[in-house]
Amino acid sequence: MELLDKLKILSDSAKYDASCSSSGSTRKNTSGGIGNAETAGICHSWGADGRCISLLKILLSNACIYDCKYCINRCTNSIARATFTPQEIADLTIHFYKRNYIEGLFLSSAVIRSPDDTMELLIKTVSILRNEYLFNGYIHCKTIPGCSQELIDKLGVLVDRLSINIELPSHDSLKLLAPQKQKDGILMPMQYVAKNIQTNLQDTSRYKKQFAPAGQTTQLIVGATPESDLKILTLSEGLYKKLKLKRVYYSAYVSINNDAHLPALPSPPLLRENRLYQADWLLRFYGFQANELLSESHPNFNTLLDPKCDWALRNLQYFPIEVNTADYATLLRVPGIGVVSAKKIIRARRAFLLNFENLKKLGVVMKRAQYFITCKGKYLYKSALFRSDFIETNLLAIEKRQITSLSQKYEQISIFDTLQPTKEDKIKCLIGNL
């Protein structure tokens, strides 16, 4: 098979994996080497659903021995199969890098023969890049569930980031849709990677090279199984606290296989995916807990309002808050005030009392925040209008104008295309204030 044909097959097969963020690692160039990895990230292209494509994102192989019901590469599917050699992937990465197409590599693979055999091929690929081509750019590699710890050790010192995809958020769902995979076979390697990363940080003298300096990530599929948003978010919260994961990625389920155990969705649940990303941001940077955002009586996010606005409407007893006296943690709970704008408020009010116009200049999203704050003791509207029905009506109007195409047809970017971000793409990437 021609190399270009392999590239088209295996780059297309990799498109369903969302967990390929490149931020968090600094790897300097060395004498005689090429490339470097910067902590700021290397995002250049955007997918139509808002995902940022920054790396050469390919599979080593899509010839899988497993029969996971949700996966396009399941062994019972009749699709084109291909397998790269380690040398081919190394050569492609270097050639693409020199042409300025990419600045790093995201490498995964279906399971060929066995987890250990697949890991050995991944290690050989990365070893060629690091040791023969002296490539110092960013490399994110998948750890194959069920492989030996010795192979994890070898791969971890060669790459910037490791990831092991949980995919399904419960043991029952894993047993139903991916019976050849075991829960312990996924969680134990994640725990081992987390332990190695932590040990490396605490005692650098024991390691000649850093072990996965950009940490580890995982991915959860949203919509393929009946778990609620509460179940998914609680799992994510536990992973952040116990395993110190850098990111949990959420991938809207794409109906690509016909199976009685899978839901027949007309389109991927992109809006639900979006809400989980927003809630994930609240967990990591805004001081929220999963059981605050959702509960057994309210187990799923409101599709019409973002999670922060939804929480605020259900907890109006905490509002309105006075921006000139509220502490930092309280400010972060106001819809429309983000981490950056909250810090600016704290600094600015040392010099003078803030009004609504000042807040707008400081970057506060006033179309949300105005309903939950007072300035100098005054509410922007008549105090009689501080009611959940009035606030919700206005917030829903804002949301309707902003999110209009998240239910569009699912489409992934090709490595041969260059797409410019749309307004919806930017909203989807969740880089603004919540």
Side-chain angles (χ1 to χ4, degrees):
M1 183 182 291
E2 294 293 329
L3 186 61
L4 184 60
D5 294 330
K6 287 186 181 182
L7 183 60
K8 289 180 177 179
I9 291 170
L10 293 171
S11 61
D12 186 65
S13 294
K15 70 186 180 182
Y16 298 104
D17 199 323
S19 55
C20 60
S21 172
S22 62
S23 58
S25 175
T26 298
R27 184 186 294 271
K28 294 182 179 180
N29 201 352
T30 57
S31 178
I34 62 172
N36 61 71
E38 296 293 339
T39 53
I42 50 175
C43 302
H44 295 303
S45 299
W46 300 72
D49 61 352
R51 293 192 179 98
C52 197
I53 310 298
S54 56
L55 313 171
L56 174 58
K57 184 181 177 184
I58 52 176
L59 298 183
L60 174 76
S61 174
N62 67 343
C64 194
I65 63 172
Y66 291 161
D67 194 27
C68 302
K69 301 182 188 302
Y70 56 84
C71 183
I72 185 65
N73 299 315
R74 61 188 295 189
C75 61
T76 54
N77 270 359
S78 180
I79 61 171
R81 306 283 181 174
T83 301
F84 280 121
T85 66
Q87 189 67 52
E88 286 174 335
I89 295 179
D91 289 343
L92 278 172
T93 303
I94 294 301
H95 292 325
F96 278 32
Y97 179 85
K98 288 181 176 179
R99 288 173 172 80
N100 202 31
Y101 294 163
I102 54 117
E103 293 189 56
L105 172 67
F106 175 84
L107 180 61
S108 183
S109 181
V111 181
I112 316 167
R113 296 185 296 276
S114 73
D116 279 359
D117 284 345
T118 309
M119 277 287 284
E120 287 175 353
L121 289 172
L122 294 173
I123 292 168
K124 186 175 181 180
T125 302
V126 180
S127 182
I128 293 172
L129 282 167
R130 294 296 194 211
N131 300 324
E132 295 184 22
Y133 289 122
L134 304 181
F135 180 68
N136 296 294
Y138 181 88
I139 298 179
H140 177 170
C141 198
K142 281 301 176 68
T143 302
I144 306 300
C147 71
S148 68
Q149 292 182 350
E150 179 185 358
L151 295 176
I152 295 176
D153 290 337
K154 289 182 179 179
L155 185 61
V157 297
L158 290 170
V159 302
D160 296 280
R161 175 168 286 179
L162 288 171
S163 56
I164 304 170
N165 283 355
I166 295 177
E167 303 288 14
L168 302 175
S170 74
H171 174 70
D172 289 342
S173 292
L174 192 68
K175 187 177 180 180
L176 180 67
L177 298 183
Q180 292 163 293
K181 294 181 179 180
Q182 301 298 319
K183 179 182 177 181
D184 289 344
I186 298 171
L187 291 180
M188 288 179 67
M190 292 180 72
Q191 293 167 351
Y192 184 73
V193 169
K195 181 181 177 182
N196 275 10
I197 293 172
Q198 192 62 27
T199 302
N200 182 236
L201 290 173
Q202 293 173 348
D203 187 5
T204 55
S205 63
R206 292 178 56 189
Y207 295 84
K208 294 181 180 179
K209 297 180 181 179
Q210 285 185 292
F211 185 92
Q216 71 166 320
T217 63
T218 192
Q219 174 178 277
L220 293 169
I221 296 174
V222 178
T225 52
E227 287 83 13
S228 65
D229 293 340
L230 174 60
K231 174 77 174 179
I232 294 171
L233 199 64
T234 301
L235 173 59
S236 298
E237 184 178 50
L239 293 172
Y240 285 129
K241 289 181 176 179
K242 296 177 182 178
L243 301 184
K244 309 298 181 185
L245 260 65
K246 286 291 185 180
R247 287 294 303 272
V248 176
Y249 290 86
Y250 308 93
S251 180
Y253 167 66
V254 184
S255 186
I256 49 180
N257 295 328
N258 293 319
D259 192 282
H261 295 104
L262 293 170
L265 302 180
S267 61
L270 294 175
L271 185 53
R272 185 182 178 192
E273 176 194 295
N274 186 54
R275 293 289 180 244
L276 283 165
Y277 271 119
Q278 289 174 321
D280 187 274
W281 201 269
L282 296 178
L283 291 182
R284 292 186 296 128
F285 299 111
Y286 288 72
F288 282 86
Q289 305 293 321
N291 60 9
E292 288 183 282
L293 296 170
L294 295 169
S295 64
E296 293 298 334
S297 61
H298 187 82
N300 294 300
F301 288 114
N302 188 337
T303 58
L304 301 178
L305 288 174
D306 73 74
K308 196 175 182 184
C309 287
D310 185 45
W311 174 84
L313 279 172
R314 288 186 286 111
N315 292 273
L316 277 183
Q317 67 272 22
Y318 299 127
F319 300 98
I321 67 108
E322 172 55 53
V323 293
N324 285 293
T325 57
D327 60 27
Y328 176 71
T330 302
L331 288 172
L332 283 181
R333 299 208 159 208
V334 178
I337 297 182
V339 173
V340 174
S341 54
K343 290 177 179 178
K344 287 182 178 179
I345 289 171
I346 297 293
R347 289 195 299 267
R349 71 189 190 188
R350 293 172 186 164
F352 56 90
L353 293 177
L354 302 173
N355 58 33
F356 291 106
E357 188 61 33
N358 296 145
L359 293 178
K360 187 175 182 180
K361 292 178 180 178
L362 291 175
V364 174
V365 183
M366 290 301 296
K367 59 189 176 183
R368 289 188 175 87
Q370 60 187 337
Y371 306 107
F372 302 97
I373 60 173
T374 59
C375 287
K376 303 178 186 179
K378 295 181 179 179
Y379 190 55
L380 185 62
Y381 300 94
K382 295 179 180 179
S383 58
L385 291 176
F386 183 68
R387 305 191 315 267
S388 60
D389 57 343
F390 171 75
I391 297 173
E392 184 174 5
T393 299
N394 284 278
L395 289 176
L396 286 173
I398 295 168
E399 198 76 16
K400 185 177 180 180
R401 289 195 298 268
Q402 286 195 330
I403 300 179
T404 57
S405 62
L406 285 176
S407 60
Q408 63 186 311
K409 183 179 178 182
Y410 184 84
E411 184 179 355
Q412 289 279 351
I413 191 171
S414 164
I415 61 171
F416 304 102
D417 297 333
T418 301
L419 298 179
Q420 295 300 317
T422 64
K423 181 179 179 181
E424 287 74 27
D425 294 333
K426 295 177 181 178
I427 294 171
K428 185 65 177 58
C429 282
L430 305 171
I431 58 176
N433 290 333
L434 295 173

